[in-house]
Amino acid sequence: MRLLFLGDMVGKTGRTAVWERLPGLVSDLKLDFVIVNGENAAGGFGITEDIFLETINAGADVVTTGNHVWDQKDAIVFAGRHDQFLRPANYPAGTPGRGSSVYYARNGARVLVANVMGRVFMHPELDDPFKTAEAILAACPLKEQADAIVFDFHAEATSEKQCFGHFVDGRASLVVGTHTHVPTADCQILNGGTGYMSDAGMCGDYDSSLGMEKEEPLNRFISKMPKGRFEAASGPATICGLGIEISDSTGLAEKIAPLRIGPRLAETIPAFWA
């Protein structure tokens, strides 16, 4: 199975780049399943229902989120209406929406996607992500109720991300980190067969500070005083994520590599899809 994961869409330029390029990627690369993190898609803070639906229409099968999931008020309302919209699974019981679900890929495979948020340097501090993952895996084991399992681990600390990867190694197809918006160079297959990358990067303008116009973040580092609001950068966007091929027989990773399309960063498409 060919699966593509795209990192956090940031602002109009990020989401527009995904909408414009994703249909061609699905067709040209013969993708079976696509996951996109959309938590920064609305001006850099949260996501609206219209943006979610446009992302699904462009070819995403699931849209994941993170700590900014509720920044747009209507997310609280529409979260429960759409099975393809995920918020972190370790929110307390009773939170609107869902944190994981099983979907069908284009090749008929059953794909469990789970959105889990870390706790180190993160706000709000949610329930234990490791216990949450254990419960999800116990309810839907790989090669029993799911042919592939993907975790979007939305977290700040790479140590927490790596430990989470090792925790589910051999029991999930892929663990990919989001939230820090910078693509890491550690794309790999862990010892037990789980694909892993600490951060997929963002889909946004890299002439920025994590997708935001750089002047105000720079000012706050220097002066410690706010002069204005953070605004999403509006220059040309680079699409960042990773591609993975998952074994039909084991549900584990066979090949994994980063994907980057756009200016500033060196463009790359997984060689096994070229």
Side-chain angles (χ1 to χ4, degrees):
M1 179 172 66
R2 292 184 169 191
L3 184 146
L4 175 67
F5 184 99
L6 297 182
D8 311 41
M9 295 188 297
V10 182
K12 182 177 181 179
T13 188
R15 67 179 188 254
T16 301
V18 171
W19 296 345
E20 290 177 349
R21 295 301 299 267
L22 187 53
L25 291 173
V26 171
S27 175
D28 295 344
L29 301 179
K30 298 179 174 58
L31 301 177
D32 296 307
F33 202 80
V34 177
I35 304 168
V36 179
N37 187 292
E39 75 142 11
N40 300 116
F45 300 96
I47 185 170
T48 66
E49 187 171 23
D50 287 345
I51 293 172
F52 161 75
L53 291 172
E54 192 71 30
T55 306
I56 295 296
N57 290 337
D61 295 286
V62 182
V63 175
T64 55
T65 55
N67 58 303
H68 288 291
V69 59
W70 310 124
D71 284 7
Q72 301 295 321
K73 299 294 186 185
D74 67 332
I76 297 174
V77 177
F78 79 77
R81 287 204 295 257
H82 299 288
D83 293 346
Q84 293 165 286
F85 180 80
L86 295 182
R87 46 81 175 160
N90 47 335
Y91 266 99
T95 303
R98 64 185 64 206
S100 66
S101 192
V102 176
Y103 309 91
Y104 283 94
R106 293 168 185 82
N107 66 345
R110 301 162 299 171
V111 184
L112 168 64
V113 182
N115 194 179
V116 179
M117 197 164 98
R119 298 199 292 184
V120 179
F121 308 128
M122 294 293 287
H123 180 78
E125 185 174 313
L126 303 183
D127 297 339
D128 186 341
F130 295 88
K131 288 184 178 179
T132 298
E134 191 65 52
I136 290 170
L137 292 171
C140 190
L142 185 63
K143 299 311 297 178
E144 293 184 23
Q145 278 78 44
D147 300 303
I149 296 177
V150 178
F151 282 94
D152 174 346
F153 193 66
H154 196 81
E156 181 76 26
T158 50
S159 57
E160 188 180 21
K161 292 177 178 181
Q162 288 179 337
C163 284
F164 185 87
H166 293 305
F167 180 69
V168 303
D169 187 19
R171 300 188 290 164
S173 312
L174 174 67
V175 172
V176 56
T178 54
H179 179 65
T180 51
H181 293 199
V182 177
T184 54
D186 61 342
C187 194
Q188 60 181 297
I189 297 177
L190 302 177
N191 292 339
T194 296
Y196 176 84
M197 187 175 185
S198 290
D199 202 282
M202 69 174 179
C203 299
D205 178 7
Y206 277 82
D207 182 18
S208 67
S209 174
L210 306 183
M212 296 293 159
E213 294 287 359
K214 52 186 178 286
E215 289 76 16
E216 180 57 19
L218 182 59
N219 161 67
R220 295 191 191 187
F221 278 117
I222 294 170
S223 72
K224 310 301 180 185
M225 293 290 292
K227 288 184 178 179
R229 300 177 60 186
F230 284 179
E231 301 286 345
S234 58
T238 297
I239 295 172
C240 282
L242 71 138
I244 182 172
E245 290 203 352
I246 299 169
S247 169
D248 294 334
S249 59
T250 67
L252 298 172
E254 292 184 319
K255 301 174 183 177
I256 186 169
L259 177 142
R260 293 188 294 270
I261 301 172
R264 293 196 169 266
L265 304 186
E267 288 203 2
T268 178
I269 290 179
F272 46 85
W273 290 350

